[in-house]
Amino acid sequence: MRCLAPRPAGSYLSEPQGSTQCATMELGPLEGGSYLELLNSNADPLHLYHLHDPMDLAGEEETEFHSETDMDTINCDQFNRLWHDMEGDEETREAYASIAELDQYVFQDSQLEDPNKDIFIEHIGPDEVSDSVETPAEVGLKKSQKRPFPEELPADLKHWKPAEPPTVVTGSFLVGPVSDSSTLPCLLPPALFNQEPASGQTHLEETYQTPMPSSSSSLSCLNLPEEPVQFIPTLSTLPQGFWQISGAGTGVSSIFIYHSEVPQASQPPSPSGPTVHGLPASPDRPGSTSPFAPSATDLPSMPEPALTSRANVTEHKTTPTQCQAAGEGSNKLPKWPESVEQFHRLLQDTYQTEPAGPDGILVEADLVRAKLERSSSKSLERELATPDWAERQLAHGGLAEVLLAARERPRPRETQVIAVLGKAGQGKSCWAGAVSRAWACGRLPQYDFVFSVPCHRLNRPGDAYRLQDLLFSLGPRSLVADDEVFSHILKRPDRVLLILDAFEELEAQDGFLHSTCGPAPAEPCSLRGLLAGLFQRKLLRGCTLLLTTRPRGRLTQSLSKADALFELSGFSVEQAQTYVMRHFECSGKTEQQARALALLRDRPFLLSHGHSPTLCQAVCQLSEALLELGGDAELPSTLTGLYVGLLGPAARDGPPGALAELAKLAWELGRRHQSTLREDHFPSADVRTWAVAKGLVQHPPGAAAAELAFCSFLLQCFLGAMWLALSGEIKDKELPQYLALTPRKKRPYDNWLEGVPRFLAGLIFQPPTRCLGALVGPSATALVDRKQKVLAKYLKRLQPGTLRARQLLELLHCAHEAEEAGIWRHVVQELPARLSFLGTRLTPPDAHVLGKALEAAGRDFSLDLRSTGIDPSGLGSLVGLSCVTHFRAALSDTVALWESLRQHGETKLLQAAEEKFTIEPFKAKSLKDVEDLGKLMQTQRTRSSSEDTAGELPAVRDLKKLEFALGPISGPRAFPKLVRILMAFSSLQHLDLDALSENKIGDEGVLQLSATFPQLKSLETLNLSQNSITDVGACKLAEALPSLAASLLRLSLYNNCICDVGAESLARVLPDMVSLRVMDVQYNKFTAAGAQQLAASLRKCPHVETLAMWTPTIPFSVQEHLQQQDSRISLR
């Protein structure tokens, strides 16, 4: 493969004549004085690119030419003159730009598989290279083919194509700075690092280096075939026929590719080795076989060459680091521009700072893959789905697995959206900070830049933003970046990770997915337009967007189509205790660790709240203060008491009324769904100074000096509830509406401050001397007494049995926080005997409060805990209660609980858990349900073989109704698994295989089911409707039905494909079914003959009460006649 250049305008082109000389054919100057006509002409490119040397070669050294007429040469002076003429031709440059657009359009077609598309690597761009170019692993190593002689070419030269396109270079290309090479890595030749070449590596015969500014250079790494390839950086644009590779839009030097045989670098070129005939050796470059590999003296202004070779080495990722250059001048390899390098280092320094104080205590919490689902069939709102505990998909790889979703993107050049959801106080912001620090420490090499933006800084109505503002001005600190840095980022957006922390702060921008984005990245637009550009994949297209947000709110609905969703599940009990230990370690008070843990364990309710890192921090702070006081310290038993204990000392040291003023601010901000405030919001400078000094408010990361935020969301909720309890602006009769126990349309606010109801009940009903009185003094007693009477009357009129599961749990929490005996007694006594929490998430505090209420009621209860996500500890504690006689839970969770109890030797609790568990009735709606049923049967077999226990599991023994509704796709695959375990349910009375979407078990399914009939001696109802059963299946069923003659009461074959043969088989067996009362064969395909057979058989069966057999294939007159003969025939 060679790279040749056309002759400039006004020159003459040569035509080969003979084998030993190069004669000329005078074509005359090109019309128009440009190359545009040349590009559009029908001339053979192989002829046009034979360049004529106007200089007299007689005076030059004798040159020997090869017989192949297309192998002439061009010396350096000719090349310089040629290029100088072409650079001044504007039309030529425009023509080449059109060609670039054309080849980009052509080679974006996925059906084009021509290796020659590598020629257009310049115009495709570095982002598209890795997707459009075939790799050697895919196509194998291809050998270059020799071009045909001119006489072998077709007459129509313009449309000529080689029979088999020659493979010039195949493989993966990477053109750009060193830092960009991690996406498509290649190993740099050892010669560039002044190292000895490894065995088996092929190097170029010679390296020519000239100084080159780093700002204008780029490193080009290619994975090449085994044939030697030489690269020589030359000029910024090339004529048609050249192969140019350059960094897109960087203005860096181009690279010529010339394919030739190159000897080992460590060996002199062999005289007998392969050479390209007809090429004279240029001065100062002995043995060079390339006409475009001039020496340094030939082209003194040529940039430093970029050299590479094919070597048997392992690919690895490179990072933006400086490399030692080879050769004499200690030149550096091409890398990022200096301004980009400086910005990269500045960004790393920004995120490497470890958080100080309590925020620096990091305990890794579990990340769980999540999904959003509709809250109900009638609602379009989506909420976080609740998986069974055993079926949770933990992200064991932590951060690496979260970002793996971006690396395995189905469309590499599309923006990927990854959302991490969690309730307030679960540590989302701390986790986002850990992501930034991980990148700064080099643990995320797939990203060149990470930008973390707290969304509270964006929540400014009316402001205009540019993409630069989002990246450089709104992070932890403002960064200075010039246009070169911004341009560099825009070229490789797939190497950018953008973190939007606390995304729920942007609720005011709801609907941005359907908004119009900004016109261009550099032009200002509204925040809504900026978000629209990012999420509609128009701005920074190809980047990774990482969001942290709460699972509730209007913005959550826009995340239903995110590429990956994860949930921060919070701390386990062990992780909460680890946090307490580390807190006292960081405080330098390790001697208090044991006592602090003992205080926490003495309060199971607070320990259950340990799943929230924010509450763990509050418990540690109060424990530390109590232990410093000495004496018999103990923690409060409610959340209200916890925050009263934290705020009491601060309130006593503050200005008069300061805490009440801060509470009013908290409530007003909560009504607007905000948690940040400005300094001018405070009533006075003294209140602001006091609040900052006591840590009640603080400057959020990256916020302006005048911006403050409450130190935690729960503190804001507590202060908001305190304002409701103290305010005279809230009418007493309106106060019950803030408990969130009434329908939404009657609530005056949307419960954004979701902790307010519990804190309000605690502040109103707990004794004022140790609650509100400790915060604001005795003046609040009279006001609280009046509100207490209103709330007590309202709570005692509530009927817990009429509330939904979520509202019932909220009522239990409010009654617990109130610590008022009358209210607690009323609530627990009115609890219904059957409590269903199906589909309602049960957190550890929910399980604790529910267990306490069930114990206090003193009655027996049956619990439905399916689809609650309850953890094994909570499930075990509820199951172990003596007042719980029956419970239902996910099969996988229950089997896992039994196994855990068996391993820990808790025989008594295991026996209770097995005896209380029930699955009646059971409906299989997925393949997982059938598999879980199989696991239950495996436990049954294990239990039966044990000497300690005997007999069937009550859940298996007592199952009477089983429904199978998997649909037409999963149904036929899952039904054989169900049949294998069906015989174990000896008490089964109702088997329903009908589904709205049709299970379609077919004749094969009926054959398998029929084999189980002898064991199903209690079966009373068999529903085989809508299962694509034909005559074959009906005949098999008729043969097996006598096994159920003594028990079967109802048989349904509605909407199948049974014809006359099947109807006749059923008619023959009908008299034997002595217990059968109802038979439904409607909407089948039998005719009047089949109907008459069934009617005749019915007359022999006085025990049958109804035979429904209307079908469109029977004339209505026949059906009417049969009905008149026997009124038991139903035609409805």
Side-chain angles (χ1 to χ4, degrees), residues 832-910:
R834 299 179 60 125
L835 289 171
S836 176
F837 298 95
L838 178 64
T840 301
R841 179 165 297 201
L842 289 179
T843 62
D846 294 334
H848 175 84
V849 171
L850 177 60
K852 181 180 177 183
L854 296 178
E855 279 187 308
R859 293 181 288 113
D860 291 342
F861 291 94
S862 174
L863 300 179
D864 188 352
L865 304 175
R866 291 174 294 168
S867 301
T868 59
I870 187 171
D871 65 313
S873 175
L875 179 59
S877 63
L878 291 176
V879 169
L881 296 176
S882 59
C883 58
V884 176
T885 57
H886 296 88
F887 79 96
R888 291 198 67 175
L891 271 174
S892 54
D893 290 351
T894 306
V895 172
L897 174 65
W898 291 345
E899 184 62 28
S900 175
L901 295 176
R902 187 177 293 109
Q903 290 177 358
H904 289 85
E906 300 184 42
T907 308
K908 186 176 180 180
L909 183 56
L910 173 61

Side-chain angles (χ1 to χ4, degrees), residues 673-804:
H673 295 190
Q674 296 176 5
S675 59
T676 57
L677 62 161
R678 297 193 306 270
E679 290 186 351
D680 56 0
H681 286 163
F682 289 92
S684 66
D686 293 340
V687 174
R688 182 186 68 245
T689 303
W690 164 79
V692 173
K694 296 300 180 180
L696 304 180
V697 295
Q698 58 188 10
H699 291 282
E707 287 186 354
L708 294 167
F710 290 98
C711 66
S712 73
F713 178 74
L714 279 177
L715 175 63
Q716 185 179 2
C717 291
F718 178 83
L719 292 174
M722 179 179 167
W723 168 251
L724 289 176
L726 296 175
S727 174
E729 301 175 8
I730 305 297
K731 297 181 180 179
D732 295 343
K733 64 179 181 180
E734 296 177 354
L735 196 62
Q737 300 177 10
Y738 293 94
L739 292 183
L741 302 175
T742 54
R744 179 175 298 183
K745 63 182 180 180
K746 295 183 180 179
R747 287 207 305 267
Y749 77 112
D750 58 0
N751 198 29
W752 189 78
L753 294 174
E754 55 189 20
V756 163
R758 304 177 191 182
F759 286 127
L760 179 61
L763 290 169
I764 293 293
F765 286 103
Q766 289 189 20
T769 55
R770 59 183 177 89
C771 193
L772 273 178
L775 297 176
V776 296
S779 59
T781 303
L783 187 61
V784 169
D785 287 343
R786 190 172 65 250
K787 294 186 176 183
Q788 187 181 107
K789 294 178 182 178
V790 174
L791 280 184
K793 183 179 180 181
Y794 167 75
L795 291 174
K796 290 180 180 180
R797 290 173 57 187
L798 282 176
Q799 298 298 321
T802 63
L803 298 178
R804 296 178 180 177

Side-chain angles (χ1 to χ4, degrees), residues 81-114:
R81 289 196 301 273
L82 163 69
W83 196 252
H84 177 73
D85 292 338
M86 291 181 61
E87 282 186 327
D89 191 347
E90 180 65 27
E91 292 187 4
T92 302
R93 289 197 296 271
E94 294 179 357
Y96 292 148
S98 300
I99 293 174
E101 296 177 358
L102 176 62
D103 67 53
Q104 184 176 13
Y105 169 79
V106 171
F107 289 110
Q108 282 179 347
D109 189 351
S110 60
Q111 298 179 353
L112 185 58
E113 298 295 340
D114 189 346

